[in-house]
C-alpha cells in the first residue's frame, strides 16, 4: 500500500509540475504579447503626435515668416528715407492690410518709440524707451549688440492680453557699429495661435505647450498648458530667427490606448486560463487506464476489432431498416504475413475512405470497411473503384455488398462481400 501511495504522490507531483510549467509559460507569453501591444500602441501614438507637432510648428514658422517680411519692408523704406518719412504711415498701413497677422508697426530710433501705426490706443506708446523697460531691456540689448533680428516676448499689455514683438535692429553703417534703432512688428499671442491647428490636437486627446528657452536652462511659457504637466512629451523645435522656441506634445493620459490594452489583457487572461485548464484535462485523460480489448480496438493497428465492427454494423443495418436508407461494407483481404507490410497497406486504406467511415480488423489479413452512408444516393461504386485502384499493384482482394440490395442481414452482407 505504501508503494502505491508513493507512486500516486510521484504522479501527482509530476502532473503538478507540468501544469505549473504550462501556466508559467502561458503567463510569460501573455506578458510578452501585452508588452508588445503596449509598445506598438505607444509608437503609433507618438508618430501621430510627431505629425501634429510638425504641422503646428510649420504653421508658427510661417506666421513669423510673414511678420519678418513686414520688418524687412519697413527697414528698407526707413533706410531709403533715412528714418524720417512723412509717407511712413501710409506705407505701414498698406503692409498691415496685406499681412493681417500683425497688430501694429513701431519705429524706435535709439530704442525710443517715435511712430506707431495704426495709432488710436497705440499713441500712448510714443516716447516709450524700450531699454528702460525691465521686461524688454535684456532682449533689446541682445538684438542691438549682436545686430540680429529676434522674436521678443511675450509681454503683457493688459490683464488678459500678451504680445510678441518681431524686433529688427537698424544701423546707419554696413559694419553695424552705428545703431539707429528698431523696427518692431507687434502681434497678439492669441492671434498667432488662432492660425495654428491646435483645436485638432485637443480633439485627438493631446495636450500641448509652446515655450521658449534662454540657453541657460530657463523656459518661459507662451501658449498652452504648463510644460511640467506633460508626461514624457514629444518636443519639436520651432525655427524662428535667433529665438529658441519649442512645442511639446503629450496625450491627456497614457501614450498607449488604454481601452485596447485592457481588451487584449482580458483576452490574454482567458488564454492563460484555458491553456491551464486544457492541460489539466489532458493529464486527467492520460491518467485513465486504457484497455484496448475492452474498448474493442485492435492493439496492432488501432482499428476497430471484429467484435466492435459486428456490433456497429448490426446497428447500422437496424438504422437502415427503420429509415429505408442504405449501408454498405467492403471486405479487404491482404495476402501477406509481414506485419509491417500489412500496416503500410492499412495506411493506404485509411487514406482512401471518408472520415465518417469505419475500418475494422476482422482477422490477421482481413479488414472490413463500413460505409456509413445514410443517404440512399450515396455512390458506393465510386468508393469501391477508388479502393480497388489503390491496391491494383498489391496482393490485395476486395469484395463489396450493400444493404438491402445484396442482403438484409449481417451474415448475408458478409457472405456476399466474401465473393471475390
Amino acid at each position: 500500500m505504501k508503494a502505491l501511495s508513493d507512486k500516486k504522490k510521484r504522479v501527482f507531483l509530476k502532473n503538478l509540475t507540468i501544469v505549473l510549467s504550462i501556466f508559467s509559460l502561458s503567463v510569460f507569453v501573455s506578458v510578452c504579447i501585452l508588452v508588445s501591444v503596449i509598445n506598438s500602441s505607444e509608437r503609433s501614438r507618438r508618430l501621430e503626435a510627431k505629425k501634429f507637432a510638425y504641422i503646428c510648428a510649420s504653421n508658427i514658422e510661417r506666421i513669423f515668416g510673414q511678420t519678418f517680411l513686414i520688418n524687412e519692408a519697413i527697414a528698407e523704406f526707413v533706410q531709403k528715407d533715412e528714418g524720417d518719412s512723412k509717407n511712413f504711415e501710409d506705407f505701414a498701413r498698406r503692409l498691415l492690410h496685406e499681412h493681417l497677422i500683425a497688430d501694429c508697426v513701431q519705429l524706435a530710433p535709439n530704442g525710443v518709440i517715435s511712430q506707431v501705426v495704426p495709432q488710436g490706443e497705440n499713441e500712448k506708446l510714443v516716447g516709450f524707451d524700450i531699454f528702460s523697460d525691465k521686461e524688454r531691456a535684456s532682449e533689446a540689448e541682445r538684438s542691438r549688440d549682436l545686430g540680429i533680428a529676434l522674436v521678443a516676448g511675450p509681454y503683457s499689455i493688459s490683464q488678459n492680453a500678451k504680445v510678441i514683438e518681431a524686433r529688427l535692429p537698424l544701423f546707419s553703417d554696413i559694419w553695424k557699429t552705428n545703431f539707429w534703432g528698431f523696427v518692431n512688428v507687434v502681434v497678439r499671442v492669441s492671434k498667432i495661435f488662432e492660425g495654428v491647428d491646435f483645436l485638432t490636437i485637443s480633439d485627438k486627446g493631446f495636450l500641448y505647450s509652446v515655450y521658449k528657452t534662454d540657453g541657460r536652462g530657463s523656459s518661459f511659457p507662451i501658449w498652452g498648458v504648463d510644460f511640467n504637466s506633460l508626461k514624457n512629451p514629444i518636443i519639436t523645435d520651432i525655427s524662428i530667427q535667433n529665438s529658441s522656441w519649442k512645442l511639446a506634445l503629450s496625450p491627456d493620459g497614457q501614450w498607449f490606448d488604454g481601452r485596447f490594452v485592457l481588451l487584449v489583457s482580458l483576452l490574454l487572461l482567458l488564454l492563460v486560463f484555458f491553456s491551464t485548464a486544457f492541460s489539466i484535462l489532458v493529464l486527467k485523460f492520460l491518467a485513465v487506464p486504457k484497455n484496448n480489448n475492452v474498448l474493442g480496438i485492435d492493439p496492432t493497428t488501432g482499428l476497430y476489432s471484429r467484435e466492435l465492427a459486428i456490433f456497429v454494423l448490426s446497428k447500422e443495418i437496424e438504422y437502415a431498416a427503420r429509415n429505408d436508407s442504405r449501408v454498405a461494407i467492403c471486405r479487404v483481404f491482404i495476402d501477406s504475413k509481414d506485419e509491417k507490410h500489412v500496416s503500410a497497406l492499412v495506411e493506404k486504406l485509411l487514406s482512401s475512405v471518408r472520415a465518417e467511415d469505419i475500418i475494422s480488423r476482422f482477422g490477421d489479413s482481413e479488414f472490413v470497411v463500413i460505409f456509413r452512408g445514410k443517404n440512399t444516393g450515396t455512390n458506393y461504386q465510386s468508393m469501391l473503384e477508388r479502393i480497388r485502384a489503390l491496391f491494383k499493384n498489391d496482393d490485395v482482394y476486395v469484395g463489396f455488398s450493400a444493404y438491402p440490395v445484396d442482403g438484409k442481414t449481417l451474415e448475408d452482407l458478409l457472405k456476399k462481400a466474401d465473393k471475390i
Side-chain angles (χ1 to χ4, degrees):
M1 290 293 291
K2 185 177 185 303
L4 184 60
S5 178
D6 291 342
K7 182 179 180 181
K8 287 184 178 179
K9 287 181 180 178
R10 288 195 298 272
V11 171
F12 172 77
L13 291 174
K14 179 182 177 182
N15 291 344
L16 181 62
T17 302
I18 293 172
V19 171
L20 289 176
S21 298
I22 292 173
F23 173 77
S24 301
L25 180 61
S26 301
V27 171
F28 175 75
V29 171
S30 298
V31 170
C32 290
I33 293 174
L34 186 61
V35 170
S36 177
V37 167
I38 291 174
N39 289 340
S40 177
S41 178
E42 183 172 338
R43 282 195 299 271
S44 176
R45 193 75 164 141
R46 283 186 172 275
L47 285 174
E48 185 181 26
K50 286 182 179 179
K51 179 187 74 173
F52 284 129
Y54 173 79
I55 292 172
C56 291
S58 298
N59 286 335
I60 295 171
E61 291 168 4
R62 174 182 54 79
I63 289 170
F64 279 108
Q66 293 178 5
T67 304
F68 276 106
L69 286 176
I70 301 174
N71 283 79
E72 290 167 3
I74 293 291
E76 184 177 356
F77 182 88
V78 169
Q79 287 174 329
K80 284 182 178 179
D81 292 87
E82 298 179 352
D84 184 16
S85 174
K86 295 179 181 179
N87 297 321
F88 168 73
E89 184 173 343
D90 291 337
F91 181 70
R93 285 184 182 279
R94 287 199 303 272
L95 284 176
L96 291 174
H97 181 72
E98 292 173 5
H99 302 276
L100 298 177
I101 188 66
D103 284 284
C104 73
V105 175
Q106 304 169 352
L107 282 185
N110 294 313
V112 178
I113 298 175
S114 62
Q115 288 181 276
V116 180
V117 178
Q119 295 179 353
E121 292 184 0
N122 295 319
E123 279 188 289
K124 61 185 178 182
L125 295 174
V126 175
F128 177 77
D129 186 351
I130 295 173
F131 291 113
S132 66
D133 183 70
K134 291 182 179 180
E135 271 193 301
R136 293 167 171 78
S138 177
E139 289 179 310
E141 289 170 358
R142 178 169 175 257
S143 176
R144 177 197 62 192
D145 296 343
L146 297 178
I148 58 173
L150 54 79
V151 175
Y155 304 127
S156 299
I157 58 172
S158 67
Q159 186 176 359
N160 298 316
K162 291 184 178 182
V163 296
I164 297 290
E165 295 179 4
R167 186 168 291 140
L168 178 66
L170 299 182
F171 297 86
S172 58
D173 62 320
I174 60 173
W175 298 280
K176 295 184 177 182
T177 57
N178 188 12
F179 176 66
W180 179 87
F182 293 114
V183 173
N184 297 328
V185 177
V186 180
V187 185
R188 288 178 182 267
V189 172
S190 57
K191 187 182 288 188
I192 295 172
F193 295 106
E194 282 172 3
V196 180
D197 198 15
F198 281 120
L199 184 59
T200 300
I201 291 179
S202 299
D203 290 342
K204 292 293 183 178
F206 288 106
L207 300 175
Y208 58 89
S209 175
V210 179
Y211 62 99
K212 70 175 185 177
T213 59
D214 60 2
R216 296 188 294 272
S218 299
S219 60
F220 306 92
I222 298 174
W223 193 253
V225 302
D226 180 13
F227 172 77
N228 295 318
S229 67
L230 301 180
K231 300 175 183 177
N232 193 18
I234 294 290
I235 298 177
T236 301
D237 290 327
I238 303 174
S239 298
I240 301 175
Q241 287 194 32
N242 304 304
S243 302
S244 181
W245 281 36
K246 297 182 183 296
L247 169 61
L249 210 65
S250 76
D252 187 8
Q254 301 297 327
W255 273 104
F256 54 83
D257 187 339
R259 287 179 295 181
F260 179 66
V261 170
L262 178 60
L263 176 62
V264 173
S265 301
L266 292 175
L267 292 175
L268 292 174
L269 189 62
L270 289 175
L271 172 65
V272 172
F273 172 77
F274 283 115
S275 61
T276 305
F278 180 74
S279 66
I280 293 173
L281 291 175
V282 169
L283 289 173
K284 284 187 174 181
F285 174 77
L286 294 176
V288 176
K290 295 175 178 54
N291 188 332
N292 288 338
N293 292 329
V294 175
L295 293 176
I297 301 299
D298 176 61
T300 304
T301 60
L303 303 176
Y304 277 35
S305 67
R306 180 188 180 91
E307 293 76 17
L308 185 56
I310 290 174
F311 174 81
V312 172
L313 183 56
S314 299
K315 294 299 180 182
E316 291 290 328
I317 292 172
E318 290 176 8
Y319 180 93
R322 288 195 308 271
N323 295 277
D324 194 26
S325 61
R326 299 174 66 192
V327 63
I329 64 170
C330 179
R331 297 185 75 173
V332 179
F333 300 89
I334 299 176
D335 188 12
S336 176
K337 301 296 183 182
D338 186 354
E339 194 64 27
K340 289 185 178 180
H341 184 220
V342 171
S343 297
L345 294 176
V346 168
E347 289 295 325
K348 292 175 67 175
L349 181 60
L350 285 168
S351 67
S352 68
V353 300
R354 302 169 304 172
E356 63 266 27
D357 296 331
I358 295 172
I359 303 178
S360 65
R361 188 166 192 172
F362 249 51
D364 292 338
S365 58
E366 180 186 356
F367 299 83
V368 171
V369 181
I370 303 173
F371 296 112
R372 306 176 70 182
K374 307 299 185 186
N375 192 335
T376 56
T378 303
N379 188 358
Y380 293 118
Q381 190 60 36
S382 65
M383 298 179 185
L384 179 61
E385 290 175 359
R386 185 168 67 247
I387 293 174
R388 284 177 172 164
L390 188 68
F391 295 112
K392 66 179 180 179
N393 296 323
D394 301 303
D395 294 329
V396 176
Y397 306 92
V398 180
F400 175 81
S401 64
Y403 174 93
V405 178
D406 298 318
K408 295 186 178 181
T409 66
L410 184 147
E411 291 77 17
D412 290 340
L413 293 178
L414 290 173
K415 181 184 280 190
K416 178 68 175 178
D418 193 32
K419 294 179 181 180
I420 309 300

